Amino acid sequence: MLQTRVGKRTAEAAFAIASELVDEELITPAEALGRVSGDGLARLMFPRFDTAAVGAALAHGIPASPGAAVGAAVFDSAEAVRRAATGEKVVLVRQETTPDDLPGMVAAQAVLTSRGGKTSHAAVVARGMGKVCVCGAEELTVDTRARRFTADGMTVTEGTVISVDGSAGAVYLGAAPLIDSVVMRYFETGGQPSGDRSQTVVGAVHRIMEQADTVRRLGVRANAVTPEDAARARRFGAEGIGLCRTEHMFLGDRRRLVEAMILARTDADRDRALDALLPLQRQDFVGILQAMDGLPVTIRLLDPPLHEFLPDRTELAVRLAAAEAGGSTPDAHDAELLEAVNRMHEENPMLGLRGVRLGLVVPGLTAMQVRAIAEAVVERKRAGGDPKAEIMVPLIDTVEELRIVRAEVEQVLANVSAVAGIPVECPVGTMIELPRAALTAGRIAQEAEFFSFGTNDLTQTTWGFSRDDVEAAFFSAYLDKGIFKVSPFETIDREGVGRLVKIAVAEGRAARPGLKIGVCGEHGGDPASVHFFHDAGLDYVSCSPFRVPVARLEAGRAALPQTQADQSERTSGAH
Ligand code: PEP
Ligand code: MG
């Protein structure tokens, strides 16, 4: 025998062949696990276009959330909601999305943006919802006011049907033929195969997932905000929630209450706004703790800059100027909002008043959130549940920040506990998402009962790359020049960011033996990064619900002896 090569095969064939070889007793189940990949599983989990039937792409962008979808192009959230309510399938097209676009994203089949990278708002939120997303499609010129975009010399007006391939990062004009995913149906129904398991791809996936779960050391949790997401994550095999981003609970109708909190001129006004938010937050937490009953739920205190909850500065200014020019009295509320937006404007909001800094400077905010968590725990316990809430503090730079917040958290927990007559014990931990935190992890571990790496921000701040801008702006040039082979926002940069992770793991555990450590940045669902987190000794990875099966599979593959893992599709090539 002069030469052998790994046979090229589709993802479907890779799973089916591996499973059949086990049936024929030619390989072990562990070897079968080594012969498939998370990338292959991801390809099987989502609908795709019949590639033989699609023509040339209209534009390309970053494949930010996999799958394929067809719908009429719409240019704002309200239009997406309006058309979807009539049963029409729509694709939300924006320059970039903000929290305001959430209803439109929920209503749409897919999201397409001309700006932003894999960790931009559109990408992260779409992945969380399992919604198709292509972002940073720079060939697109989106004109929201005229309700159209141009690409490749063509103008696409509102209502025109387009097809979006979130796995390939391509956009097509017209309706491309869709092929549904039986594997997604299998996971959606809680991982129960039907029919003859050896004959179907679902049977093969089931057998290999069982093997992965048997051998993996890493736990797999999900990033989820709603009870529905939490329940889906559980069906997909998540063993808890690693990140509940509470800012997502402050949108919609609640924006008004957040606005009132920000605009408050007196302590009494602010307290009133916080008091109004409290029961709403508590109900959110009750729902999510119920969906994850008996499993850990890591709830992160508010993280983003507050001005994200206020309307756009330019839009407000234009509205006020238009009123003035038209001779009418400018809206007093708009004027007040503009004043607040101007006051809070930051040149670098991602490095500004956010994360733990918010809790330290906005009186009552941390206390309100912690009280909502503690009261939700009490309510669930009274209902006979087994709530396991964990409180996580974002964007810590120094142990001093955590010490102050933790004292406040414990005070509130003790108060709620005393009033209810029910013990409320929530571990308090922190995200490690700034280089300084990673480098001083030994000191931070003195105050933290767990760590969770926020590798989105850690990548942003270690490289000095804006997570919202650089991927679309110049990563293709960097990739062409071979500066890196894959975006560090997609796959963890082992040499730099990974080194910080390893330092923090070693120093954190040296200071607090047994410290529980996870990751909740987008890397938690990336196959190659899962292997790194396994090697680095983390306890769990946390990723969006739709990536949970991929993370389970890759965590299993990471635990295989090297000889078996080497046979994978991922590492295939001439040997
Ligand atoms: C992170 O920074 O990796 C993280 C999980 O937090 P967010 O993406 O919400 O900033
Ligand atoms: Mg972060």
Side-chain angles (χ1 to χ4, degrees), residues 243 245 300 303 354 431 433 454-457 467 520-521:
L243 173 62
R245 290 181 165 101
R300 180 176 74 182
D303 180 41
R354 58 173 288 221
M431 296 194 67
E433 51 185 344
T455 48
N456 304 333
D457 275 309
R467 59 194 264 194
C520 59

Side-chain angles (χ1 to χ4, degrees), residues 235-518:
R235 288 198 299 279
F236 284 12
E239 295 149 326
I241 289 182
L243 173 62
C244 174
R245 290 181 165 101
T246 50
E247 54 271 20
H248 290 199
M249 299 167 167
F250 283 173
L251 301 173
D253 297 345
R254 299 183 192 175
R255 276 276 291 264
R256 234 176 358 90
L257 298 171
V258 180
E259 258 175 39
M261 176 183 83
I262 299 169
L263 296 176
R265 296 208 175 272
T266 64
D267 288 351
D269 283 349
R270 188 174 36 246
D271 288 349
R272 245 192 312 279
L274 287 167
D275 284 350
L277 281 167
L278 176 75
L280 304 172
Q281 275 262 270
R282 184 173 52 223
Q283 269 331 102
D284 292 334
F285 297 141
V286 167
I288 212 155
L289 288 168
Q290 186 169 5
M292 274 288 164
D293 197 54
L295 295 173
V297 175
T298 308
I299 299 170
R300 180 176 74 182
L301 302 181
L302 198 68
D303 180 41
L306 281 183
H307 77 247
E308 279 196 9
F309 295 104
L310 297 174
D312 181 71
R313 188 152 82 136
T314 318
E315 266 176 38
L316 277 174
V318 168
R319 244 192 346 246
L320 285 164
E324 219 163 292
S328 51
T329 323
D331 185 278
H333 186 59
D334 275 357
E336 196 183 0
L337 281 175
L338 182 60
E339 189 272 318
V341 172
N342 283 335
R343 185 161 32 89
M344 309 196 71
H345 177 74
E346 293 171 306
E347 292 299 333
N348 281 316
M350 291 303 262
L351 301 178
L353 181 59
R354 58 173 288 221
V356 67
R357 305 161 195 175
L358 274 176
L360 290 170
V361 303
V362 180
L365 178 59
T366 299
M368 183 279 286
Q369 288 205 286
V370 175
R371 197 170 144 202
I373 296 168
E375 290 179 353
V377 167
V378 167
E379 192 172 323
R380 286 297 307 141
K381 283 193 173 177
R382 286 199 175 124
D386 181 17
K388 292 193 178 337
E390 304 177 335
I391 296 174
M392 180 154 77
V393 185
L395 217 77
I396 286 283
D397 257 318
T398 158
V399 68
E400 303 306 334
E401 292 166 318
L402 188 56
R403 187 168 291 138
I404 296 170
V405 173
R406 186 172 173 184
E408 186 177 2
V409 168
E410 280 174 356
Q411 184 63 56
V412 176
L413 292 179
N415 289 350
V416 173
S417 195
V419 170
I422 289 179
V424 182
E425 282 138 14
C426 302
V428 180
T430 183
M431 296 194 67
I432 300 289
E433 51 185 344
L434 294 174
R436 193 184 190 287
L439 294 171
T440 58
R443 298 206 59 211
I444 292 175
Q446 291 163 5
E447 294 291 330
E449 287 168 89
F450 62 88
F451 281 175
S452 180
F453 287 101
T455 48
N456 304 333
D457 275 309
L458 194 57
T459 300
Q460 167 165 260
T461 47
T462 303
W463 283 84
F465 281 161
S466 158
R467 59 194 264 194
D468 295 315
D469 302 307
V470 293
E471 281 179 275
F474 62 81
F475 269 24
S476 57
Y478 266 44
L479 291 164
D480 287 348
K481 290 182 197 303
I483 295 170
F484 38 62
K485 291 193 175 59
V486 58
S487 159
F489 285 110
E490 184 175 349
T491 294
I492 191 115
D493 148 43
R494 287 179 177 242
E495 204 180 22
V497 178
R499 179 137 187 256
L500 287 171
V501 168
K502 284 186 175 167
I503 290 170
V505 169
E507 298 190 3
R509 291 224 174 104
R512 189 187 278 258
L515 178 72
K516 192 166 58 167
I517 305 180

Side-chain angles (χ1 to χ4, degrees), residues 100-120:
D100 278 347
D101 292 310
L102 198 64
M105 294 177 77
V106 171
Q109 305 296 309
V111 180
L112 170 62
T113 70
S114 56
R115 299 193 56 216
K118 277 214 162 150
T119 52
S120 63

